[in-house]
Amino acid sequence: MLTTYGCMIARDAHQQIQRERDRRAFAEHGRYWHSSIGLADLKDVIGIGRALASKVLNEYIADYPAHLFYDKSARTYVMGDDFEDHYLSIDPPEYLAELAAIARRSAVPNSEWIVDLPDILTLAIPARGLPAMAVRNVLMACAQRRSLTIVYQSMSSTRPLTREIALHGIAHDGFRWHTLAYCCKDHVFQDFVLSRILDSELAEMAEIDPGLDTDWVETITLQISAHPALSEDQKRIVELDYGMKDGTAEVAVRKCLLFYNLRRLGLDTSCDTRAPQDQQIVLVNRSEVRAALGRKPA
């Protein structure tokens, strides 16, 4: 059994390894996304001295020759022809999502690594009203497997109704937050929009098995392709836009979010309702998807 002292040594060793990995990850980030990295960058962002910064970069070069080299004329380290990421995942959609989050002033891990932030615009979406107590109770009910008594205003009723629901998860449809739950009033699994919960109170332990919510458990695959009425060149660019292979792309979605995924992709209506240049993609397995289309928010 490790002693307290031994645990401290092991923890310190792990932290040291993590610091070294973080320094190398930052070096890869700088040379890939910003084309070069200098000792000053490591000093300013990572907070290490010049000697240690030089040691980090030179050891990296020793481990991965031709991935990074020192450009004497520019007096900086630049990316080599054989670059591969070893400590940092090069994921363009994820990186752009981080830039957008920073533009919205959201907290992003390692945001200080981004030294050349471009001007970024994002869609102006109205803020959704989310009562703090309702969100708290929903999260606690999910974590503790408890029921929740709510006063809820649905779009199918002219006035708020009191319900008892057994929650098992939450979901975001791109605009709104929902909770997935068994409704003891209607005796079915439904999803409830958090902003429509007018009042809530934690209740007894829930006895409903979340695995019975088949729409939550099961997935369905959307098969999409470029709109057939587009020109061949237009089809090729749409295929690139959506990462299609052999003219199609597959998107696996939970059945409980199927309605929202279709709406987000513009596939919730016939492809003939808009011009091909606006619609751009069509649903190949439309009959299968329509048959599986499940619930909408209560």
Side-chain angles (χ1 to χ4, degrees):
M1 180 181 294
L2 286 175
T3 64
T4 301
Y5 180 68
C7 289
M8 291 176 61
I9 293 177
R11 182 185 62 196
D12 290 345
H14 174 76
Q15 291 175 344
Q16 177 61 27
I17 292 172
Q18 189 58 51
R19 282 194 292 269
E20 291 175 0
R21 291 186 63 86
D22 288 344
R23 291 164 184 166
R24 290 191 169 199
F26 172 67
E28 289 185 345
H29 180 280
R31 78 161 184 256
Y32 189 83
W33 293 114
H34 306 293
S35 76
S36 67
I37 187 171
L39 299 181
D41 296 317
L42 280 164
K43 288 171 56 182
D44 296 342
V45 177
I46 303 297
I48 60 178
R50 183 180 182 85
L52 182 54
S54 178
K55 180 174 180 289
V56 168
L57 293 176
N58 287 327
E59 286 181 347
Y60 186 98
I61 292 174
D63 289 342
Y64 306 105
H67 290 229
L68 177 70
F69 68 93
Y70 185 70
D71 186 335
K72 294 182 179 179
S73 61
R75 302 180 66 181
T76 189
Y77 292 83
V78 299
M79 186 169 67
D81 293 335
D82 295 335
F83 169 77
E84 291 180 11
D85 52 308
H86 301 280
Y87 303 91
L88 178 77
S89 175
I90 302 300
D91 188 330
E94 179 180 338
Y95 185 60
L96 290 174
E98 291 175 352
L99 295 184
I102 292 172
R104 294 192 298 267
R105 302 185 184 278
S106 300
V108 174
N110 299 323
S111 60
E112 68 278 6
W113 290 13
I114 303 172
V115 295
D116 297 320
L117 186 66
D119 291 334
I120 300 173
L121 295 177
T122 59
L123 289 178
I125 299 174
R128 296 287 179 175
L130 287 171
M133 187 57 70
V135 174
R136 170 190 178 273
N137 286 344
V138 163
L139 295 177
M140 289 185 66
C142 288
Q144 299 174 10
R145 297 293 303 276
R146 294 171 65 180
S147 297
L148 194 65
T149 301
I150 62 173
V151 178
Y152 188 80
Q153 177 62 70
S154 72
M155 291 295 101
S156 60
S157 174
T158 58
R159 59 185 179 84
L161 297 176
T162 299
R163 303 168 180 258
E164 184 175 338
I165 59 176
L167 299 75
H168 61 81
I170 60 174
H172 192 257
D173 66 9
F175 294 100
R176 301 177 301 186
W177 282 100
H178 304 245
T179 183
L180 293 304
Y182 180 81
C183 177
C184 299
K185 174 181 176 293
D186 296 333
H187 305 291
V188 293
F189 285 98
Q190 295 177 297
D191 58 322
F192 299 88
V193 181
L194 264 58
S195 58
R196 297 177 187 172
I197 298 176
L198 305 180
D199 196 9
S200 61
E201 182 178 352
L202 288 166
E204 301 298 322
M205 297 297 294
E207 298 180 357
I208 302 298
D209 179 6
L212 297 175
D213 186 357
T214 55
D215 281 2
W216 168 269
V217 175
E218 296 177 7
T219 62
I220 185 166
T221 300
L222 308 181
Q223 297 175 354
I224 60 175
S225 65
H227 198 294
L230 294 174
S231 72
E232 291 305 312
D233 288 336
Q234 289 172 329
K235 289 179 183 177
R236 274 194 291 272
I237 203 64
V238 170
E239 290 169 1
L240 288 173
D241 278 346
Y242 288 88
M244 296 181 185
K245 294 181 179 180
D246 298 325
T248 62
E250 295 187 345
V251 184
V253 302
R254 294 285 186 97
K255 285 182 68 176
C256 59
L257 291 178
L258 179 56
F259 169 77
Y260 307 107
N261 274 272
L262 292 175
R263 188 168 61 179
R264 192 71 182 269
L265 291 170
L267 297 172
D268 55 330
T269 60
S270 170
C271 62
D272 298 326
T273 58
R274 295 193 297 172
Q277 291 76 11
D278 295 327
Q279 179 61 34
Q280 299 182 9
I281 59 173
V282 296
L283 194 57
V284 176
N285 58 335
R286 186 174 185 82
S287 58
E288 174 191 355
V289 171
R290 298 299 297 182
L293 193 58
R295 63 192 183 223
K296 300 177 183 179

